[in-house]
Amino acid sequence: MNGPTRIAIVGAGLVGRRHADAIWRNPGADLSAIVDPSDEGRQFAAQHGVPCHGSLAELFAADHPDGVILSTPTPLHVEQGLDCIHNRCAVLVEKPISNSAEDAMRLVLAAERANVPLLVGHHRRHNPLIQKAKQIIESGAVGAIRAVHSQCWFYKPDHYFDIAPWRAQKGAGPISVNLVHDIDLLRHLCGEIISVQAQVAPSSRGFENEEVAGAVMRFDNGAIGTLTLSDGIVAPWSWELTAREYPVYPATSQSCYLIGGSEASLSLPDCTLWNQNGKRDWWEPINATTIARPSSDPLDNQIAHFLSVIAEEAVPLVSGREGTRTLSVIEAIQKSARTGQAERPMTFDDAPSVGVAI
């Protein structure tokens, strides 16, 4: 490929602008266009001297970038992704990949049939911290994973909902908006989740969404996982406040993931390994070793990875199938909270039964 890889961004909101910053920081990438019909989108494009189009149809009629990033509302992802696939353009779609796993499967299978790269923006997997944690687990230092706990507690202020009233409406609660990140990392680090049982508590502020959620998860390797989630608790235990990934969040020294194994346990994101030097005994002293790892912006790393996939030098770290599997777990949690029963996440083996063409 001659010259920089040309990337268009669809949706110039907060997330789209962060992607634009990451593109500008990469000398091998060029922000070739913005697709956004809003006045704010046009102003952003004009400010930076970038062409602006009102739709993907306009973009592809005028140009053909090497890749497209979809930073649009989730209900638009599937149809916009299909437009990119029809135009044989690699696409990175923000998480969650779709409103439903069934629709996501339709997008994934279309991309696979057309042999067009489809990536999902679960950017935390591109954090060197997570890559180091994955190496530690795969090295056998933790042993067989037996239990996992994820804690995601924070307080969203009232003005968060005032400026965007849809955030208080059904379907935009912390399970859909926030937990999808944590579920993706739990799957990535600990294995597939094969069943969930969940409960939720309603908003104390009178919103339509849940404010507290908890779930028990069974992994295919036999491990049991627990999680708790709330956007109405003042607390230091969430990825945002512990990982130092995005400076807008004040950092704490706490951890939010605990991974327990037969040989040791690992806390994250402090990346501390707790073991007893081979003598496993609750009366023996336990050692804590904080493991060094490099630090870099996962959004920058995700852009660099997208360029490598476009150049056919790498396969997607978070493929469309991976994004769909994560969304399926979220759907199972939501369904279990309604039914009170343990629920199994949908898999691609279920596709024919739900009417998705293979």
Side-chain angles (χ1 to χ4, degrees), residues 1 90-91 115-119 126 131 301-319:
M1 185 179 296
V91 57
N115 197 29
V116 172
L118 171 64
L119 295 76
H126 295 273
Q131 293 166 352
N301 299 338
Q302 182 175 248
I303 289 295
H305 176 69
F306 191 27
L307 302 188
S308 295
V309 171
I310 291 171
E312 299 182 352
E313 297 169 351
V315 296
L317 175 62
V318 190
S319 66

Side-chain angles (χ1 to χ4, degrees), residues 7 9-26 31 34 44 48 69 71 92 94-95 121 123-124 127 181 239-240 244-249 296-303:
I7 306 296
I9 293 177
V10 186
L14 176 62
V15 176
R17 295 181 188 211
R18 291 188 69 198
H19 283 302
D21 288 338
I23 290 171
W24 288 323
R25 289 191 293 264
N26 191 311
L31 180 58
I34 294 290
F44 177 76
H48 294 282
I69 298 175
S71 297
L92 168 61
E94 266 302 332
K95 69 282 177 187
H123 67 278
R124 292 181 186 176
N127 191 318
H181 297 280
W239 180 266
E240 287 81 1
R244 303 173 188 268
E245 193 175 82
Y246 188 19
V248 70
Y249 295 107
S296 58
D297 189 324
L299 282 179
D300 288 355
N301 299 338
Q302 182 175 248
I303 289 295

Side-chain angles (χ1 to χ4, degrees), residues 77-339:
H77 288 173
V78 170
E79 293 309 315
Q80 290 178 336
L82 289 171
D83 283 346
C84 294
I85 292 164
H86 176 73
N87 285 277
R88 305 200 63 78
C89 184
V91 57
L92 168 61
V93 57
E94 266 302 332
K95 69 282 177 187
I97 184 174
S98 171
N99 266 353
S100 75
E102 184 175 345
D103 285 344
M105 289 178 183
R106 183 162 59 94
L107 176 62
V108 170
L109 294 171
E112 291 177 351
R113 284 194 295 266
N115 197 29
V116 172
L118 171 64
L119 295 76
V120 184
H122 286 288
H123 67 278
R124 292 181 186 176
R125 291 204 198 187
H126 295 273
N127 191 318
L129 159 67
I130 293 302
Q131 293 166 352
K132 174 58 70 173
K134 183 78 168 173
Q135 291 172 8
I136 293 168
I137 292 168
E138 290 182 343
S139 75
V142 171
I145 296 176
R146 302 300 296 132
V148 184
H149 179 66
S150 167
Q151 191 157 331
C152 184
W153 295 359
F154 45 77
Y155 195 93
K156 292 177 180 174
D158 290 343
H159 65 75
Y160 172 87
F161 301 96
D162 293 340
I163 63 174
W166 62 267
R167 291 170 173 167
Q169 296 173 2
K170 188 174 180 61
I175 291 177
S176 297
V177 174
N178 303 105
L179 189 61
V180 67
H181 297 280
D182 300 291
I183 290 295
D184 189 68
L185 286 189
L186 294 182
R187 289 187 51 253
H188 180 58
L189 294 173
C190 303
E192 289 298 340
I193 296 168
I194 59 174
S195 72
V196 299
Q197 188 153 14
Q199 293 193 19
V200 300
S203 168
S204 63
R205 290 182 265 197
F207 300 153
E208 296 177 8
N209 290 309
E210 74 281 353
E211 187 174 279
V212 182
V216 177
M217 303 165 286
R218 181 175 292 277
F219 290 78
D220 63 356
N221 56 16
I224 299 296
T226 56
L227 65 85
T228 55
L229 164 74
S230 177
D231 62 1
I233 294 176
V234 176
W237 304 294
S238 67
W239 180 266
E240 287 81 1
L241 297 186
T242 60
R244 303 173 188 268
E245 193 175 82
Y246 188 19
V248 70
Y249 295 107
T252 72
S253 59
Q254 303 297 303
S255 283
C256 60
Y257 300 150
L258 302 177
I259 300 172
S262 57
E263 299 293 334
S265 291
L266 180 65
S267 55
L268 296 170
D270 66 356
C271 213
T272 299
L273 190 69
W274 299 83
N275 63 20
Q276 293 178 311
N277 294 329
K279 189 173 183 179
R280 298 172 294 174
D281 186 330
W282 67 351
W283 285 299
E284 289 294 319
I286 192 163
N287 307 305
T289 304
T290 299
I291 299 170
R293 74 279 183 187
S295 178
S296 58
D297 189 324
L299 282 179
D300 288 355
N301 299 338
Q302 182 175 248
I303 289 295
H305 176 69
F306 191 27
L307 302 188
S308 295
V309 171
I310 291 171
E312 299 182 352
E313 297 169 351
V315 296
L317 175 62
V318 190
S319 66
R321 282 186 177 251
E322 280 292 283
T324 302
R325 291 184 183 110
T326 292
L327 177 59
S328 294
V329 177
I330 293 294
E331 284 190 346
I333 289 172
Q334 293 169 322
K335 183 177 181 181
S336 176
R338 294 193 303 269
T339 66

